[in-house]
């Protein structure tokens, strides 16, 4: 069957996601909620695709089925409850635990089960399942943005499906015999380059579409547990259940070493020191006269962006220009993760079509500079180069004189005072 969406060689996961999202919207294949961008797309005829689940022998013989909570898989949840199987649904963003068991009211009829299958029903008719529960999941249903006939899968970019499976593997709820099914529109079946699939990425055994059932025969092994070295402390703060799971695995003697932070062991949310609050110029003046004056190791370049200077005159901050309209900071972060060049801080100025990437030292910035050359997102080639500090001694909030030449203004890498800047630490995340 010819594929509706052609994936170019060298495409990133985000290139593929946007191609699929754009195609579904442009061809009016989407159903509520819209737009489908940054979602597991709810497509027209999703019910037909879900209905194919009930004919799979693996579904018929299953007793416990885990289904994602997204709208296009609502009918799959209904079929699971109708077949009197145990239905498990992940908690939103894993904030309150791993998953919930859906418990319909006593003597529930078909309409009751339909209500239980909705997102609101999942909230109203569920009980939490703890990590200590002895659960054996026979079949897993996940949503996808794109999937290949080889079984490679791309989600919406937040990594929760991969994380959920890895956590289930860690608690013994899934194993090599557990079948993974994804339910998508036919147009979402595309060629995904094999190199994009990493060790923590979940692959699928069956693809259900409105017109066909595809058995992938995927030989790539599924995650066997959490890869702790890909996670950091910030991720554990966002997903508290990870802390508990890590503690359990640590007691069991497993290696639970987290990814080493590139922030030079800075404590999260540490209060800035007095020196860091002072203007670098004033700090230099306040030193005793007998102490040789040193140049500050950083310089403000406007509205929250800071260029860090290092020996040999190299800077640890990169300038990223040409950011396309509509790009989200989360998308940029995912691209940086894919290329293994996650900065310790990202200053986002999307309205000005640019961002500043701060790295721990000059060599790290040089590595990132090389990795980000010819970076293309949503069909736009971005400009990556070392950030240039501003000329003169302008204070961060001082208004710059208007520059007539736009290219000269862009080359200066100096944010305007009207820029909306959000500074944040970019965390590593397992999966996409």
């Amino acid at each position: 069957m010819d594929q509706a969406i052609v994936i170019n060689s060298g495409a990133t996961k985000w290139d593929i996601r946007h191609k699929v999202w754009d195609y579904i919207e442009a061809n009016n294949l989407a159903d509520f909620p819209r737009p489908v961008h940054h979602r597991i797309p709810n497509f027209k005829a999703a019910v037909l695709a879900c209905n194919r689940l009930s004919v799979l022998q693996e579904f018929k013989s299953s007793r416990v089925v885990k289904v994602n909570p997204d709208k296009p898989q609502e009918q799959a949840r209904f079929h699971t409850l109708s077949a009197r199987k145990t239905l498990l649904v992940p908690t939103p963003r894993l904030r309150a635990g791993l998953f919930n068991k859906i418990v319909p009211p006593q003597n529930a009829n078909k309409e009751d089960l339909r209500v239980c299958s909705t997102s609101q029903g999942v909230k109203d008719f569920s009980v939490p399942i703890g990590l200590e529960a002895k659960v054996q999941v026979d079949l897993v249903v996940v949503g996808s943005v794109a999937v290949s006939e080889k079984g490679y899968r791309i989600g919406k970019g937040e990594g929760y499906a991969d994380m959920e499976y890895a956590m289930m593997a860690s608690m013994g709820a899934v194993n090599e015999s557990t079948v993974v099914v994804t339910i998508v529109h036919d147009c979402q079946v595309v060629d995904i380059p094999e190199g994009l699939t990493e060790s923590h990425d979940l692959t699928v055994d069956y693809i259900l579409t409105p017109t066909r059932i595809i058995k992938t025969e995927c030989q790539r092994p599924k995650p066997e547990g959490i890869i702790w070295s890909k996670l950091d402390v910030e991720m554990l703060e966002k997903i508290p259940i990870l802390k508990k799971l890590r503690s359990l695995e640590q007691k069991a003697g497993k290696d639970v070493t987290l990814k080493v932070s590139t922030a030079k062991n800075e404590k999260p949310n540490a209060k800035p020191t007095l020196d860091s609050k002072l203007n670098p110029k004033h700090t230099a003046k306040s030193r005793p006269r007998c102490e040789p004056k040193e140049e500050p190791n950083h310089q403000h370049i406007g509205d929250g962006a800071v260029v860090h200077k290092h020996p040999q005159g190299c800077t640890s901050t990169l300038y990223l220009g040409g950011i396309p309209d509509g790009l989200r900071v989360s998308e940029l972060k995912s691209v940086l993760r894919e290329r293994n060049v996650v900065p310790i801080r990202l200053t986002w100025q999307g309205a000005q079509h640019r961002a500043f990437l701060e790295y721990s030292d000059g060599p790290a910035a040089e590595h990132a500079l090389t990795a980000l050359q010819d970076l293309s997102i949503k069909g736009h080639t971005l400009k990556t180069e070392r950030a240039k500090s501003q000329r003169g001694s302008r204070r961060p909030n001082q208004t710059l004189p208007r520059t007539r030449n736009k290219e000269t203004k862009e080359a200066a890498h100096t944010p305007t005072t009207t820029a909306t800047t959000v500074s944040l630490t970019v965390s590593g995340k397992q999966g996409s």
Side-chain angles (χ1 to χ4, degrees):
M1 183 176 179
D2 293 337
Q3 294 177 350
I5 301 173
V6 177
I7 304 300
N8 299 325
S9 60
T12 66
K13 287 182 178 179
W14 278 105
D15 292 334
I16 297 173
R17 288 183 185 108
H18 276 287
K19 272 209 164 188
V20 172
W21 285 328
D22 291 346
Y23 184 91
I24 291 175
E25 284 292 346
N27 290 274
N28 197 30
L29 300 175
D31 214 336
F32 176 84
R34 297 182 72 171
V36 296
H37 294 77
H38 309 286
R39 306 179 192 271
I40 297 298
N42 185 26
F43 54 94
K44 295 175 180 177
V47 169
L48 292 178
C50 287
N51 286 345
R52 297 185 179 277
L53 180 65
S54 61
V55 304
L56 285 183
Q57 183 57 44
E58 289 84 350
F59 176 77
K60 292 178 180 179
S61 61
S62 66
R63 293 181 299 173
V64 180
V65 180
K66 176 245 164 190
V67 184
N68 61 300
D70 298 288
K71 180 65 176 177
Q73 284 73 44
E74 183 177 303
Q75 182 75 355
R77 296 192 292 274
F78 171 71
H79 279 301
T80 302
L81 292 176
S82 296
R84 306 302 174 186
K85 302 179 186 295
T86 298
L87 172 61
L88 303 179
V89 179
T91 62
R93 309 185 80 83
L94 300 176
R95 290 195 184 103
L98 180 50
F99 40 52
N100 293 323
K101 176 182 176 181
I102 309 305
V103 182
Q106 194 171 9
N107 300 320
N109 58 32
K110 184 176 290 189
E111 288 309 310
D112 293 330
L113 297 181
R114 288 200 181 280
V115 171
C116 292
S117 305
T118 65
S119 57
Q120 187 60 46
V122 168
K123 295 176 183 177
D124 295 340
F125 299 95
S126 63
V127 294
I129 300 294
L131 289 175
E132 301 85 357
K134 300 299 181 181
V135 177
Q136 185 63 52
V137 179
D138 303 307
L139 188 140
V140 173
V141 177
V142 295
S144 301
V145 172
V147 65
S148 76
E149 293 190 11
K150 293 182 179 180
Y152 306 144
R153 171 191 171 274
I154 294 178
K156 61 185 176 184
E158 296 183 345
Y160 287 106
D162 304 321
M163 183 75 72
E164 290 159 10
Y165 190 91
M167 292 173 71
M168 288 191 291
S170 294
M171 63 186 286
V174 294
N175 54 41
E176 64 278 359
S177 66
T178 304
V179 176
V180 178
V181 177
T182 192
I183 300 173
V184 297
H185 190 275
D186 287 284
C187 74
Q188 292 175 259
V189 182
V190 300
D191 286 328
I192 297 176
E194 187 171 353
L196 292 182
T197 303
E198 301 180 68
S199 59
H200 58 261
D201 288 327
L202 180 62
T203 55
V204 303
D205 302 301
Y206 283 95
I207 304 168
L208 309 184
T209 78
T211 65
R212 55 184 177 151
I213 296 175
I214 304 169
K215 189 172 183 179
T216 67
E217 306 288 356
C218 185
Q219 299 301 311
R220 192 180 186 97
K222 296 179 176 63
E224 297 180 352
I226 296 290
I227 305 175
W228 296 105
S229 60
K230 288 182 175 288
L231 305 181
D232 58 15
V233 174
E234 185 175 346
M235 181 58 64
L236 266 64
E237 294 296 329
K238 289 181 178 178
I239 306 177
I241 194 174
L242 280 175
K243 290 183 180 179
K244 188 173 182 180
L245 180 57
R246 183 170 181 250
S247 177
L248 291 173
E249 295 205 349
Q250 190 172 32
K251 289 177 181 177
K254 296 183 180 180
D255 183 4
V256 294
T257 305
L258 298 177
K259 181 174 66 176
V260 178
S261 173
T262 56
K264 296 186 177 180
N265 298 323
E266 288 183 5
K267 293 182 179 179
N269 303 321
K271 293 183 179 179
T273 61
L274 178 61
D275 287 344
S276 68
K277 294 180 180 179
L278 296 174
N279 184 300
K281 197 172 181 180
H282 294 166
T283 304
K285 286 183 178 180
S286 64
R287 294 190 181 101
R289 292 186 178 181
C290 60
E291 183 183 15
K293 289 186 177 181
E294 298 179 1
E295 287 191 5
N297 65 353
H298 65 275
Q299 181 173 3
H300 287 276
I301 59 175
D303 287 354
V306 178
V307 170
H308 285 251
K309 296 187 292 183
H310 292 271
Q312 291 81 46
C314 62
T315 176
S316 64
T317 300
L318 300 184
Y319 163 83
L320 198 60
I323 291 175
D325 289 327
L327 184 73
R328 296 187 180 187
V329 65
S330 60
E331 296 176 73
L332 177 59
K333 288 164 63 178
S334 292
V335 171
L336 297 175
R337 279 194 294 271
E338 289 175 13
R339 299 200 176 204
N340 294 317
V341 288
V342 178
I344 60 174
R345 186 166 291 105
L346 187 157
T347 301
W348 176 257
Q349 297 180 344
Q352 284 73 41
H353 306 289
R354 62 192 172 200
F356 293 88
L357 314 178
E358 179 187 332
Y359 292 89
S360 58
D361 52 33
E366 185 64 35
H367 168 70
L369 182 62
T370 301
L372 295 176
Q373 292 304 309
D374 301 319
L375 174 63
S376 177
I377 302 178
K378 297 174 69 173
H380 293 259
T381 300
L382 277 61
K383 178 180 181 182
T384 309
E385 61 186 32
R386 291 191 177 278
K388 301 172 185 177
S389 61
Q390 66 178 53
R391 296 181 178 180
S393 57
R394 183 180 66 87
R395 294 175 181 172
N397 294 324
Q398 181 179 339
T399 303
L400 282 173
R402 291 186 177 180
T403 308
R404 291 182 180 178
N405 190 323
K406 183 178 181 181
E407 293 183 0
T408 303
K409 183 177 180 180
E410 186 78 359
H413 297 176
T414 306
T416 64
T417 55
T418 58
T420 301
T421 304
V422 179
S423 295
L424 65 156
T425 301
V426 179
S427 62
K429 181 179 287 188
Q430 181 171 320
S432 54

